[in-house]
Amino acid sequence: MAQKRNLDGAEVVLRAVGLSKSFPGVKALTNVDFSVRKGEVVALLGENGAGKSTLIKILCGVYQCDEGYIELEGVRRAFTIPLDAKSAGIGVVHQELNYVPTISVAENIFMNNIPRRGPFVDQKRLEREAREIMAKVGLDLDPRMLLGKCTVAQKQLIEIAKVLAEKVKVLILDEPTSSLNDVETECLFSLVDKMAGMGVAVIYISHKLDELFRLADRVVVLRDGVVTGQIGIAEASREQLISMMVGRTLSVMYPQQLIVPGEVALEVKGLTGPAFRDLSFAARKGTIFGIYGLLGSGHLEVGPTVFGQLNYAAGEIKVDGAAVKIANPLDAMKAGIAYVPAERKVEGLVLNASVRNNIMVSYYALRRKRLIDKATEKRISAKWIENLSIKTPTAGTAAESLSGGNQQKVVLSRWLELEPEVLILNEPTRGIDVGAKAEIYRILKDLCGLGKCVIMVTSEMPELLNMSDEIMVMHEGKVMGIVDAKETSQEQVLRMAIGG
Ligand SMILES: Nc1ncnc2c1ncn2[C@@H]1O[C@H](COP(=O)(O)OP(=O)(O)OP(=O)(O)O)[C@@H](O)[C@H]1O
Ligand SMILES: [Mg+2]
């Protein structure tokens, strides 16, 4: 592949020298050198817990480093608070979205510089400019809408729009596409291209290797807080990046397993919910039923509705051929249905509880056990920490001190442990590194092997096509079709998703 951008003579904008950072029980970064040039897109790659977010949080003043220093345009700078870095022209979209749900979309975008007219908020200008900025990221929302009402993808796009509202020299994106679909992602990529073209230095974090090939000029690899290598994207191959990252080659990403479709495990008939109508499908035991849709198609509401988190107005849900009434999640769990949400940190994790207790939550909820059995807890949590390589100092560590991806793994293991008859997952590998991804794929296929039914809502096309047996595509609240995964293509799925 040819070099993407001509960076000859481009000067270094941001440089980190010898950064080290420790947290209780973990050395997150050790002597890290890192730099990014004007107009360059540098990708940071590394397993969950490798130190990527910690590095960028130091670059933007959220954390202070224990050792080392930062230079911006050749001048040594100490950012003691995020605002310092922001005023210096460093714009960041963090992995954890931070927004105020109770104020409007427009107010969130202009949080720090609300347009005024004299002492008053210039409401017209606020809304007009919010619309303009949203249009850049392909969003067409009412600027007066409360942010809390937006979907995860919309929130993520708004977060990006917020940064674009400022003048930046350095743009840092920490897994910005984790909840975006292909169309939204492509829109973001052209924006990043444009920003780089205007001379902005970009630092990009993603676990999706395809994105790095599409976007980056150079990849810097972190392992256990140490820079273990860097490579120009033109010289890099997938295999090479993976082995630089995990220290071994990965033989199979998608396990091929002979599937034996069984009886229908979950049947949904004429279901009309908050964001879809007249939804009907049947998912079989021993198979993976994939669900795909673009923003607003209603696909994200299927899981929460079947799981009893959202109410349905009409329709029928059958498990194992028997009609079930699902009014709340406990009904669903008793019927053998489990649901793993996408926005796990908000919906799934008790932040100040330990990793162990977080893994055990649904185990206890379902069994109604009064007795706390230390040995079982120890065994189960140790199993998942090992299986999904959850990086944590101990099982007793608070979940909030784990890296984003490791938090995801904790919530996921809680549901996998239940081995429910029907497991619905929303974005099962969001934010998860390739090594653990392959492990999750294996676990899902193993569940199929045990005759369980897996329903997977994903915006990741390779995952959808390679893991599913059948794929249901939705558009504007309706089913556009259910296709055999082996006989379909990315193009066909996308065509259906846009309503064609
Ligand atoms: N606030 C904190 N308190 C304690 N430990 C922390 C804190 N933030 C990060 N860590 C630890 O530092 C290490 C690096 O975490 P970091 O968030 O930088 O990883 P990451 O590379 O961004 O991973 P991911 O891909 O999962 O987002 C991890 O072991 C994590 O548990
Ligand atoms: Mg991170």
Side-chain angles (χ1 to χ4, degrees):
M1 202 192 294
Q3 196 181 1
K4 287 196 184 56
R5 302 173 185 92
N6 183 3
L7 297 165
D8 294 343
E11 71 259 33
V12 169
V13 180
L14 186 67
R15 185 196 303 277
V17 183
L19 296 186
S20 293
K21 173 78 183 168
S22 293
F23 293 110
V26 207
K27 185 141 195 219
L29 295 176
T30 307
N31 199 17
V32 167
D33 292 332
F34 179 82
S35 68
V36 56
R37 300 196 282 164
K38 214 168 156 33
E40 184 185 30
V41 180
V42 180
L44 261 180
L45 186 66
E47 290 181 282
N48 295 131
K52 305 176 296 293
S53 296
T54 303
L55 172 57
I56 66 135
K57 282 179 183 163
I58 291 174
L59 296 179
C60 71
V62 174
Y63 292 155
Q64 308 302 306
C65 54
D66 303 335
E67 282 163 59
Y69 61 91
I70 299 164
E71 274 179 12
L72 184 67
E73 295 178 317
V75 181
R76 213 157 140 163
R77 303 290 292 261
F79 302 129
T80 46
I81 51 166
L83 199 59
D84 291 347
K86 198 167 168 183
S87 331
I90 300 179
V92 198
V93 177
H94 286 289
Q95 184 173 13
E96 306 87 18
L97 303 179
N98 56 60
Y99 49 82
V100 187
T102 49
I103 62 174
S104 75
V105 166
E107 287 159 343
N108 265 280
I109 294 177
F110 289 102
M111 193 122 42
N112 294 309
N113 52 348
I114 298 266
R116 288 177 192 283
R117 252 168 96 171
F120 301 106
V121 172
D122 186 344
Q123 199 63 32
K124 277 223 177 82
R125 206 175 115 209
L126 175 68
E127 285 169 22
R128 190 186 63 237
E129 291 185 2
R131 274 190 202 283
E132 283 167 13
I133 284 175
M134 283 193 284
K136 284 194 192 174
V137 290
L139 268 182
D140 180 22
L141 293 177
D142 181 350
R144 287 165 301 185
M145 173 168 154
L146 287 188
L147 198 101
K149 293 223 174 343
C150 297
T151 65
V152 193
Q154 288 167 338
K155 286 174 192 154
Q156 198 156 35
L157 289 168
I158 287 167
E159 200 73 17
I160 294 162
K162 250 158 76 176
V163 174
L164 297 177
E166 323 259 333
K167 259 198 139 22
V168 295
K169 290 177 187 151
V170 181
L171 174 65
I172 306 179
L173 301 164
D174 194 350
E175 294 189 42
T177 61
S178 58
S179 61
L180 304 184
N181 63 36
D182 292 11
V183 179
E184 295 149 3
T185 299
E186 191 44 52
C187 176
L188 174 68
F189 288 175
S190 26
L191 265 169
V192 172
D193 277 335
K194 208 154 92 194
M195 304 277 281
M198 295 184 320
V200 173
V202 182
I203 303 173
Y204 193 87
I205 299 180
S206 176
H207 289 292
K208 301 178 189 168
L209 297 179
D210 298 342
E211 297 190 344
L212 309 192
F213 285 104
R214 157 77 175 79
L215 213 55
D217 297 295
R218 183 158 59 93
V219 180
V220 173
V221 181
L222 271 176
R223 255 184 89 187
D224 293 329
V226 179
V227 174
T228 51
Q230 59 165 313
I231 188 167
I233 200 73
E235 289 89 55
S237 71
R238 262 188 99 77
E239 291 66 35
Q240 204 174 359
L241 291 181
I242 292 174
S243 74
M244 282 167 85
M245 177 167 51
V246 302
R248 63 192 148 91
T249 48
L250 250 158
S251 49
V252 273
M253 193 67 192
Y254 305 103
Q256 288 314 317
Q257 199 161 306
L258 191 67
I259 63 138
V260 193
E263 306 279 297
V264 170
L266 176 77
E267 186 176 3
V268 164
K269 253 192 187 155
L271 202 66
T272 295
F276 49 78
R277 51 194 180 282
D278 201 17
L279 187 77
S280 297
F281 66 86
R284 295 185 171 278
K285 297 184 178 184
T287 68
I288 297 184
F289 187 85
I291 302 181
Y292 185 85
L294 301 180
L295 202 60
S297 71
H299 65 303
L300 296 175
E301 283 80 10
V302 177
T305 307
V306 172
F307 190 59
Q309 281 177 349
L310 297 174
N311 295 329
Y312 51 97
E316 197 181 18
I317 298 174
K318 282 184 176 174
V319 178
D320 267 345
V324 285
K325 183 90 198 86
I326 294 173
N328 55 51
L330 200 60
D331 287 348
M333 281 165 76
K334 283 184 186 148
I337 303 172
Y339 168 64
V340 186
E343 210 174 356
R344 289 188 261 265
K345 191 163 171 184
V346 181
E347 298 178 50
L349 204 70
V350 187
L351 285 173
N352 57 5
S354 68
V355 168
R356 184 190 302 117
N357 288 348
N358 268 289
I359 293 178
M360 299 304 293
V361 164
S362 36
Y363 180 88
Y364 284 122
L366 196 62
R367 284 176 184 71
R368 291 280 168 121
K369 273 205 172 175
R370 295 275 186 276
L371 206 68
I372 293 184
D373 173 1
K374 285 260 179 282
T376 309
E377 283 194 350
K378 205 169 158 187
R379 179 177 53 80
I380 293 178
S381 51
K383 175 181 78 183
W384 289 109
I385 289 172
E386 156 89 28
N387 278 0
L388 295 182
S389 28
I390 298 174
K391 202 168 167 203
T392 177
T394 67
T397 302
E400 65 191 336
S401 69
L402 263 55
S403 78
N406 284 301
Q407 294 181 349
Q408 308 270 19
K409 293 178 185 178
V410 169
V411 179
L412 201 59
S413 54
R414 169 198 300 174
W415 295 107
L416 293 173
E417 171 61 31
L418 285 184
E419 293 189 357
E421 292 308 312
V422 178
L423 177 63
I424 309 174
L425 307 120
N426 196 350
E427 304 291 352
T429 62
R430 168 178 299 172
I432 283 175
D433 69 55
V434 283
K437 234 181 212 180
E439 188 59 24
I440 287 167
Y441 293 151
R442 195 190 55 71
I443 291 170
L444 295 182
K445 287 285 183 190
D446 285 352
L447 283 175
C448 290
L450 293 170
K452 312 288 182 193
C453 168
V454 176
I455 297 181
M456 187 177 72
V457 185
T458 174
S459 54
E460 246 191 274
M461 203 48 96
E463 175 171 289
L464 180 80
L465 293 171
N466 287 296
M467 288 295 291
S468 315
D469 298 299
E470 283 183 290
I471 298 172
M472 173 169 86
V473 185
M474 293 175 65
H475 172 72
E476 291 185 352
K478 281 193 298 221
V479 176
M480 295 301 287
I482 297 175
V483 292
D484 185 328
K486 265 166 231 71
E487 275 150 29
T488 192
S489 63
Q490 177 159 347
E491 291 69 36
Q492 194 193 355
V493 169
L494 273 175
R495 205 172 327 112
M496 289 161 77
I498 57 176

